[in-house]
Amino acid sequence: MSLSYSAQVVLAGVSLLGVAGGVVGSFALLRRQSLLSDALAHAALPGVCVAFLLTESKSSLPLLVGALVSGLLGTLAVTTLVRRSRLKADSAIGVVLSVFFALGIVLLTRIQKLPLGNQSGLDKYLFGQAATLMPRDVATIGALTAVVLLLVAFFYKELKLLCFDREFGASLGWPMRRIELLLVFLLVTVVVVGLQAVGVVLMVAALITPAAAARQWTDRLSTLLLLAAAIGGGVGVAGTLISASWANAPTGPAIVVVSSAVLVVSLLFAPRRGLVWARLRARALARRIRRENLLKDLYLEGERRAAPGALVGWSDLMGQRGQGRRRLSALARSLAASGLLARGSEGVRLTAEGEAAARELVRRHRLWEVYLARRLELPLDHVHRDAEVMEHALTESAVAELEELLGWPERDPHGRPIPRRQGLAAPPSPLRGAA
Amino acid sequence: MSLALEAPLAPAASSTAAPALLEPAIEIHDLTVAYGTQPVLWDVDVALPEGRLIAIVGPNGAGKSTLLKASLGLVTPLTGWVKVFGGPVAERRSWIGYVPQRESVDWDFPTSALDVVTMGLYGGLGWFRRPGKAQRERALACLEQVGIEDLAHRQISQLSGGQQQRVFLARALAQDARLYLMDEPFAGVDATTERAILGLLQQLRRDGRTVVAVHHDLQTVSEYFDHVVLLNLRLVAAGPVETTFTPENLQRTYGGRLTVLSQTAESLLRSGGRPRLGDEERP
Amino acid sequence: MSPALVIILVGSLVAASCALVGSFLVLRKMALVGDAISHAVLPGIVIAFLLSGSRASLPMLVGAGAFGVLTVLLVELFHKTGRLHEDASIGVVFPVLFSFGVLLISRYANQVDLDLDCVLYGEIAYAPWDQLKLAGQLLGPKALWLNGLVFAVNLLFVGLCYKELKLGTFDPELAAALGFAPTLMHYLLMGSVSLTVVGAFESVGAILVVAMLVVPPATAYLLTERLSRMIALAMAFGVASAIAGYGLARWIDASIAGAIGVAAGGFFLLTFLLSPRHGLIAKALRHRRLSEATAEQMLLLHLKAEGQGLSREHLGRRFGWSEPRLEATLTALTQRGHARRDNGKCYLTESGARFIEATGQELIRDRG
């Protein structure tokens, strides 16, 4: 679709804001200062109003300076309260946020009653009205965004050190407090950039939500910054288009709704951290454990009857773990399909392949029991339950290491033989006592 | 062992090699530190010899971590001073490697093990300069030294507790320091890591480095360390383990906390350490 | 009733309700959950409006209450996935709910008799004229009834569950062990906060209600150590803010709700400076006394450590103190007999040595 010049101007401004917000918001997210940035945004409102009262001008530059000053004051107030009073961070943020905002509202309503006030357009600083952006505003936004991005690029290493391990940075001799101040300055600048488009009330979401969404897709800080910038810019454009086509809805809320949708999708479907995949992985694991348990039960039954590979009746199996008949036969069917067992109407038996797999499980189980009993000196009646879990989790190399550590034991603490990797267990011998 | 240990030592290592025995690694004089109005160290006066493994031992809140932080210049003392190899801390930063407590950082941070180790080299880089290939190779060598070079590109939250501790140690190794300050390096690590860390400390000692570690496990103090500092707000005693780590001194350090004492007395009576196992390494 | 009295009464009821539940929010370090709820009830109110087609109070209470609890659940859900920290969870949840509400209002502007200004700072000025009608009878201002009801419910809740709330606030584990159902209390409290927010919504708006929820309890927290006294003080500060705020708004002709928030901020600032125990000034004085005492002890410790007489120049260099401070410290010590001056040098006396030893011992004993 073709856009008018003024629409292009607006979109340029909003996407610039999204880029700057995503980048700086990522640092706020990682420093766990999401809500400090909320307070900082609210604190900008009285500054805008005071600047208007002083200059009576509608041009954005003096208003932005006012916002910058009062945003910094708000941050300073929060830090002072946290350091110098017994209030915790949450209350300090709550106090500063609401009192600064109340002051802003008082000034705003006062201004609206002035002769000039009705055309002041200060309303747009509450929820943002991107449509009011003029080319001159966008130039200001562009300049500020450029400053922010350049500073981040220059001080990337230092900001990373601050966010990951402030104290270690200090031990290297870096002036961490100054770097911290730099970050606050960046945050306030972005808030100021975003005022006209998003407004003070929802600024926090423009900072945090794209960063939180980007975080799900990557484990590298540099990629996180790029992604957050891309998401921020993208949702800015999308939100603006929606608000323009939708009965003059304010831009801020539209942007927030779009970016939250991106966040939810990221939380659910991002490749490694996605909750959907985590759920699927958990289900696959539970299924594997059920399969392995059935194999092992069959093996143990064979061991008990001293007849490896014996046919075990359905009712015997159902007794083992209290599983229903239907579930059990579904499990047996899938194991039979993998060639691990043979099943008939009266019961099931392990194939040679299944026998080998089951033997390995029993081997891990019993080795782990030996380890617990010998090295942790756990009583015998405590070792089984833990081994039930570990038998499914131990890797081959861990088992080999364990075996070496324990000196290749032949029996578990209950006196039962530990199967060898290949071939059958050593024959029980009364001369070799239990470990 | 790897390249890192054969590489030249910290800047002044060769020049001060001779008087090293005379000059203590850390000299703490008259040190009093308070957080707000609450004193956490009171009139501590101690010298720690170079080339030893030194444990700082004491009950919770005894000021152990604060002693380390004061030695790093991270806290401003009310009175007293700390000298590191005969000079003020600010001038000796590049000689000191630091291993903070593992819980002090957010391990969900989006960064790799290699990246964290590279941070140990930031001190030599200065403003603006990014770590390059040389720094990454150096960091990889340090990871190799702690035995987890294969995990270099793994995100740090996917490491087990023991592996995370190793990453921190590798970061300190990257600093190539003469003096290592470690805040509870053995806390919450598995048995394999504990052995590996101990091996590393002994290697550092063989290379003439000094290690000062806050240590919680009284049972292993005499097994792992040469020298001990017993601390409870004030200095209770400091000296070689054999003469200083005595039940009487522990009694004075821990006051009437009998459970701790009886355990320790028991372990002191036993010869040799009893094998202890923590959580097993996660795959 | 005069309009001014109605406005002040409504403001006071709102303030008192908020102070009751807000005190627990502040103590539970959940002030920002209150902030989140106050934003997030907006869509509930708008939806209730759209469905019922009127400003009837009951549907609004239900809608807002539902969204309040939904906010808490969503924040916990996001947090529990392990993918977001708690502060980030709050920071992403409430803006989206609030945005949803704002979008609904602008979409259905002709059907919803709410405007965005009202969302932000309410219309308490109209409270006297919006009368409750029942069976053709005028029963007085609706806001008064609504907020009176909310206050009564909150009072009943806190009164009945005081012990449970208190224990759950200070020691949730013990509360759970004693069977006080801290989780249930948590959700009841959150429900109560939502209810309070709805009641306050029409009067002071969705955002300024945070000022009432957090600021007076935070002020009270700087003045007392006791929960019951803190709640009482918070309510007193809230009511005082309502009265002062109304006066301020009349005087400068601005938003009443905003002025109430500013007045609450004013009380907070005064308390932060002047509180006898936790105030900035009292603390500075205490710190000065302490640093004098510490300076004396430091000097003694140093004399002891050096084990010889030390010159003024040495001491001045050593501690980096100004000349008057060094002089004051030396004078105090000689007067007390802990040190003596002789031939331009300063020596530790026996009583000084005993004093410093005893101080060290005492410090250790104090620590238990």
Side-chain angles (χ1 to χ4, degrees), chain B residues 154-171:
Chain B
R154 211 174 270 184
Q155 203 260 327
I156 51 175
S157 70
Q158 293 169 37
L159 303 174
S160 73
Q163 290 163 344
Q164 290 174 345
Q165 189 67 57
R166 290 183 198 214
V167 170
F168 262 13
L169 283 164
R171 182 174 69 173

Side-chain angles (χ1 to χ4, degrees), chain A residues 19 26 50 126 133 159 172 175 186 198 221 253 275 383:
Chain A
V19 168
S26 299
V50 169
L126 292 171
L133 286 174
L159 288 168
L172 292 175
L186 291 174
V198 180
L221 180 59
L275 296 169
V383 295

Side-chain angles (χ1 to χ4, degrees), chain A residues 202-430:
Chain A
L202 294 167
M203 197 60 220
V204 61
L207 286 164
I208 301 302
T209 312
R215 175 68 189 89
Q216 310 310 319
W217 298 88
T218 176
D219 279 330
R220 290 174 58 100
L221 180 59
S222 49
T223 320
L224 168 65
L225 296 182
L226 291 175
L227 265 178
I231 295 176
V235 300
V237 170
T240 311
L241 292 177
I242 289 175
S243 97
S245 62
W246 221 53
N248 201 26
T251 328
I255 292 177
V256 172
V257 168
V258 177
S259 65
S260 301
V262 174
L263 171 64
V264 169
V265 170
S266 307
L267 281 171
L268 290 177
F269 300 110
R272 201 179 57 72
R273 291 166 69 103
L275 296 169
V276 169
W277 315 133
R279 172 62 65 86
L280 287 179
R281 276 196 298 273
R283 277 177 59 174
L285 178 68
R287 202 173 107 86
R288 183 164 69 82
I289 289 178
R290 276 201 307 276
R291 284 167 61 107
E292 293 184 350
N293 279 342
L294 181 59
L295 289 179
K296 200 186 54 172
D297 289 346
L298 286 169
Y299 178 91
L300 293 176
E301 194 59 35
E303 191 182 64
R304 198 171 304 131
R305 299 183 193 167
L311 186 81
V312 181
W314 290 111
S315 52
D316 290 341
L317 282 176
M318 276 170 9
Q320 294 270 5
R321 289 176 197 269
Q323 298 185 86
R325 166 74 197 249
R326 187 185 293 172
R327 194 158 200 186
L328 199 60
S329 63
L331 202 57
R333 201 177 317 128
S334 94
L335 282 166
S338 321
L340 294 168
L341 56 75
R343 66 198 181 103
S345 56
E346 64 275 33
V348 293
R349 77 169 77 213
L350 288 171
T351 62
E353 227 175 300
E355 171 98 15
R359 189 184 311 119
E360 181 59 26
L361 286 165
V362 172
R363 200 168 86 87
R364 290 177 191 177
H365 180 103
R366 293 184 178 167
L367 274 172
W368 189 251
E369 286 189 339
V370 175
Y371 174 72
L372 291 180
R374 268 204 227 159
R375 306 301 292 257
L376 297 187
E377 298 175 19
L378 286 184
L380 285 191
D381 51 341
H382 281 62
V383 295
H384 176 73
R385 190 135 54 116
D386 201 22
E388 274 295 282
V389 178
M390 286 306 288
E391 69 191 14
H392 306 291
L394 285 172
T395 59
E396 207 160 298
S397 63
V399 173
E401 207 177 306
L402 196 62
E403 207 167 23
E404 189 180 337
L405 180 76
L406 298 169
W408 290 274
E410 293 184 340
R411 297 192 158 265
D412 77 2
H414 308 285
R416 289 170 311 204
I418 296 173
R420 295 283 165 77
R421 181 153 297 203
Q422 289 296 322
L424 291 169
S429 153

Side-chain angles (χ1 to χ4, degrees), chain B residues 29-30 32 36-40 42-43 45 59-63 78-81 106 108 232-234 257, chain C residues 82-83 85 286-287 290 294 297-298 301-306 318-319 356-357 359-361 363-364 367-368:
Chain B
H29 185 72
D30 229 4
T32 299
T37 57
Q38 187 71 31
V40 281
W42 186 260
D43 192 23
D45 219 345
N60 283 332
L78 276 177
T79 174
W81 44 256
D106 174 10
D108 196 32
N232 188 359
L233 191 72
R234 305 213 295 172
R257 288 166 221 198
Chain C
R83 306 297 194 265
H85 292 303
R286 217 167 37 238
H287 190 80
L290 188 95
T294 317
Q297 287 164 0
M298 290 308 108
L301 277 173
H302 187 62
L303 287 171
K304 178 184 149 237
E306 296 296 315
R318 171 67 185 72
F319 292 109
I356 205 69
E357 181 58 29
T359 315
Q361 293 292 352
L363 279 169
I364 291 184
R367 293 150 46 80

